[in-house]
């Protein structure tokens, strides 16, 4: 009996298929658009545009106002050379003279000291002279211990009190029974404390007939300045 020799067939080797020409990229299906996402995007764009518009309006809302371009002392008459103009974003709470009204302040007097670079407010000018007819202006030097804690401002009413030297008495009156003499005045200007000494010089307007008396008290260092209570107190 013959044995049949099994012969194992070798596996067939598949040769790679050679493709001539460029290979086409795989086809990708287009993403489906969602209406909700599109609507949200449009809303965000619209909101951003509105914010930019509001910002531009705020930046563009500027007002022409009057400014001070050089130092102006209290009581000095304002001229066109003292004033300038500027365009600023003005807060409604800030009171400033509009550029169109500059003619209304030229020729008036400064009620307070004006500094370059500041806006001019209506309350800082006056048509009245700070030293009126029939008055005299007397400078009074106050030592640091004589300066009131309350700031002295133009227009403030004061009493100029004569304080004789200790032990001195007025002629014809007994010592200890001398009533202090006082003269009414009005602050026109108060300087800043002098470096080193701390002395403050206050210009006070008094009646013309009282000016020489006040000047004599100042020379004798026998004067004290007392503030009157505000009229609306």
């Amino acid at each position: 009996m013959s044995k049949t020799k099994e012969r194992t067939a070798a596996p067939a080797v598949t040769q790679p298929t050679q493709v001539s020409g460029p290979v086409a990229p795989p086809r990708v299906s287009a993403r489906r658009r969602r209406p909700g996402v599109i609507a949200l995007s449009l809303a965000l764009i619209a909101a951003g545009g509105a914010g930019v518009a509001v910002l531009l309006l705020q930046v563009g809302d500027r007002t022409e106002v009057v400014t001070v371009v050089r130092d102006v002392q209290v009581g000095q008459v304002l001229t066109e050379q003292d004033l300038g103009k500027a365009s600023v974003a003005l807060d409604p709470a800030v009171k400033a003279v509009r550029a169109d009204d500059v003619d209304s302040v030229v020729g008036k007097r400064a009620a307070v000291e004006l500094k370059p670079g500041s806006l001019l407010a209506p309350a800082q000018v006056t048509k009245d002279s700070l030293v009126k007819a029939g008055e005299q202006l007397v400078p009074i030097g106050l030592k640091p211990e004589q300066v009131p804690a309350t700031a002295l401002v133009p227009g403030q009413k004061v009493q100029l009190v004569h304080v004789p030297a200790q032990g001195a008495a007025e002629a014809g009156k007994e010592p200890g029974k001398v009533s202090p003499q006082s003269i009414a005045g009005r602050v026109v200007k108060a300087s800043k404390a002098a470096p080193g000494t701390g002395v403050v010089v206050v210009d006070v307007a008094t009646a013309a007939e009282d000016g020489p008396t006040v000047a004599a008290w100042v020379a004798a260092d026998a004067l004290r300045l007392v503030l009157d209570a505000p009229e609306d107190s």
Side-chain angles (χ1 to χ4, degrees):
M1 187 174 175
S2 64
K3 294 182 180 180
T4 305
K5 193 174 184 179
E6 293 183 3
R7 303 174 67 182
T8 304
V13 179
T14 305
Q15 295 295 330
T17 305
Q18 295 183 355
V19 180
S20 60
V23 179
R27 185 176 181 182
V28 181
S29 59
R31 181 179 297 178
R32 184 174 58 183
R33 298 180 180 177
R34 298 180 181 179
V37 175
I38 297 176
L40 178 59
S41 301
L42 292 176
L44 292 175
I45 294 173
V52 173
V54 172
L55 180 61
L56 290 175
L57 288 175
Q58 290 178 346
V59 172
D61 187 13
R62 306 178 75 85
T63 305
E64 289 279 341
V65 295
V66 177
T67 62
V68 181
V69 298
R70 60 186 184 183
D71 289 311
V72 179
Q73 300 300 317
V74 176
Q76 181 178 331
V77 177
L78 289 172
T79 65
E80 292 182 356
Q81 289 71 32
D82 299 322
L83 306 174
K85 296 180 182 179
S87 179
V88 298
L90 193 63
D91 189 290
V94 178
K95 304 299 181 183
V97 178
R98 300 298 195 268
D100 294 340
D101 298 328
V102 64
D103 292 339
S104 66
V105 296
V106 172
K108 290 186 177 180
R109 298 180 182 274
V112 297
E113 186 176 1
L114 303 177
K115 290 295 185 180
S118 61
L119 301 182
L120 183 65
Q124 293 178 320
V125 297
T126 178
K127 62 181 179 180
D128 300 324
S129 173
L130 297 182
V131 181
K132 302 177 182 178
E135 292 183 337
Q136 289 186 347
L137 191 67
V138 182
I140 301 172
L142 299 178
K143 299 176 182 178
E145 63 272 16
Q146 298 173 337
V147 179
T150 301
L152 296 171
V153 296
Q156 193 169 26
K157 293 183 178 181
V158 296
Q159 291 293 323
L160 307 177
V161 182
H162 181 225
V163 183
Q166 188 174 2
E170 292 185 7
K173 294 186 179 181
E174 299 180 9
K177 295 184 178 180
V178 178
S179 298
Q181 184 181 356
S182 64
I183 294 175
R186 187 181 69 260
V187 174
V188 173
K189 181 182 178 182
S191 72
K192 295 181 180 179
T197 63
V199 173
V200 174
V201 178
V202 185
D203 291 341
V204 179
T206 66
E209 60 270 19
D210 294 328
T213 301
V214 174
W217 292 353
V218 172
D221 194 20
L223 181 146
R224 296 295 181 269
L225 184 145
V226 179
L227 302 180
D228 282 347
E231 295 180 353
D232 56 353
S233 61

